[in-house]
Amino acid sequence: MDRMDFMNFYEKWIEHDYNPWIMFDGQGKVLTLNQEAQYLLAEVKAAEIYRLALAYANHSYGFKTTMMDLEFGGYEFFGIMVGYEDSDTIAIKLYQKPPERIYEPKLRSLESHNLYSLIDLAISTSSIGRKHGFTTLLDPALPDLKIDPEKFIQLLAGIFECFSDEKSVEVTLTLKTGETLKFEGKRHPILLLATEGMQNESCQKERLKHLANGINGFVTYKKERILFQMPIITG
């Protein structure tokens, strides 16, 4: 591989990196960025990332890695690296936390339940005292599945509490296309329950994470949306 081919490969590697990478000029203008960084800048202003780069840059020229917890919209990071060799440009790379995954299903002696009935019950209970209520769009084709109904309703109630009553809360249930989870040699489709509205500051994320993990699922947070995913285990 000659130097030109090497540089082309290197540029492609950065472009397709899972971690956002951005280069700024000395005034904070974005000079270049990779694909993942484009998605990140839909969640946060470039000026905020530039200020972060300046705050954690080496006092002298060079590269510096700092471990920290950061959240921007639906993105979570565990560290950053900032580098510069002159006053004209500065670059930052943000290291994404890997998405949660369920490796061992908690089946115990669970019975099958109708998901729509559980969602209706959770919505009815959470609607008490709310002015704007809920709207739903539920895929009608999902089967009954093995689930702890009490924990599922607690999870939904906790998610609903994360949204204010300034407008109605939208609840969407769909089958996640193109992805499955494999347990004990068998692949299971994944359901996606999305809740969207005006989020408030009282969201108990650690409690929701614990409840979700207890029913084989995981929760992720996007701007104005909370997503719950779990495998559809029927037998």
Side-chain angles (χ1 to χ4, degrees), residues 93-143:
K93 184 174 185 178
L94 300 95
Y95 295 99
Q96 279 202 73
K97 291 182 179 180
E100 291 192 57
R101 289 292 182 264
I102 303 301
Y103 297 102
E104 295 293 336
K106 302 174 180 66
L107 295 178
R108 299 181 298 277
S109 56
L110 294 178
E111 297 181 358
S112 294
H113 293 271
N114 183 279
L115 206 61
Y116 307 102
S117 298
L118 298 179
I119 293 173
D120 285 343
L121 179 57
I123 288 177
S124 297
T125 303
S126 297
S127 294
I128 298 174
R130 293 184 72 103
K131 177 181 178 181
H132 293 92
F134 298 81
T135 60
T136 59
L137 180 61
L138 310 180
D139 184 337
L142 297 181

Side-chain angles (χ1 to χ4, degrees), residues 10-60:
Y10 181 71
E11 290 172 0
K12 290 177 181 178
W13 187 285
I14 293 177
E15 174 64 17
H16 296 286
D17 197 328
Y18 174 70
N19 301 295
W21 180 89
I22 308 173
M23 179 181 286
F24 299 93
D25 68 13
Q27 286 70 50
K29 179 182 177 181
V30 175
L31 295 177
T32 184
L33 71 170
N34 68 358
Q35 188 176 74
E36 195 65 27
Q38 295 178 42
Y39 300 136
L40 173 63
L41 293 187
E43 303 273 356
V44 60
K45 292 182 178 179
E48 188 170 349
I49 303 297
Y50 178 64
R51 288 193 294 269
L52 180 69
L54 294 181
Y56 288 92
N58 239 341
H59 292 303
S60 57

